[in-house]
Each structure stands twice: as structure tokens, then as C-alpha cells.
Amino acid sequence: MTDFSKQYEVKEIYENTYSIKEEGFEGLDAYMYLLIGEEKALLFDCGYGIIDLNRIIGEITDKPLICVCSHGHHDHVMGVCQLEDC
């Protein structure tokens, strides 16, 4: 059985700005960006949906989350089903 929980990498690329890389299929990785504001956090794109976004984001912030998808390709929107406000 594949352990999908290890298929991501989080980097703080600037203050309150994080890159989340989800390992994709055949090297086609998906990148998401989490920006944390004073009152809310914004997730830009939500990847393939393989990794546990709620847990990963919850380890970074407890602020309410807003998600925006840049476009409809599967590597940008498949994780939307994990999130309430997208």
C-alpha cells in the first residue's frame, strides 16, 4: 500500500507565505500557495487531492480558510472536495 501522506513538501517562501508541493503522477507535481492574513488564510489552488490538505494547513494555521482555484485543470482543483469554502 502506498503511503500518500509523505507525498508533499511545505516550504515557507516568505513571511506568512507557504508553498505546498504535492507529488503528482509521473513527475507532474502540483503546487499550491498558502497566504496567511490577519484574519483569514487563502489557499491558491488545491492540487490533485491525494494529500490531506486540512491536516497540513491545520499544522500551519488555525485561521478560517478561503480557497481559490486558478483554473479547472485536475492538478489545480481535485483537492477541492476536502475543503468547505472554495
Side-chain angles (χ1 to χ4, degrees):
M1 182 172 175
T2 304
D3 181 7
F4 291 113
S5 66
K6 304 291 185 203
Q7 293 190 317
Y8 69 93
E9 179 181 11
V10 177
K11 288 184 181 178
E12 186 171 15
I13 57 176
Y14 192 72
E15 184 179 354
N16 295 319
T17 304
Y18 296 83
S19 168
I20 303 170
K21 179 178 97 172
E22 179 179 30
E23 290 185 16
F25 306 97
E26 298 180 7
L28 299 174
D29 299 334
Y31 288 86
M32 298 154 268
Y33 297 92
L34 180 66
L35 296 89
I36 302 171
E38 291 182 22
E39 297 178 19
K40 296 181 181 182
L42 173 74
L43 179 65
F44 187 77
D45 287 335
C46 50
Y48 290 108
I50 297 170
I51 59 176
D52 186 347
L53 285 174
N54 286 308
R55 182 185 58 77
I56 294 165
I57 293 167
E59 291 175 359
I60 300 169
T61 184
D62 62 354
K63 294 184 179 182
L65 181 68
I66 299 169
C67 176
V68 201
C69 295
S70 61
H71 62 284
H73 289 162
H74 62 282
D75 58 327
H76 295 261
V77 301
M78 295 298 288
V80 73
C81 62
Q82 297 181 34
L83 308 170
E84 288 185 31
D85 295 325
C86 189

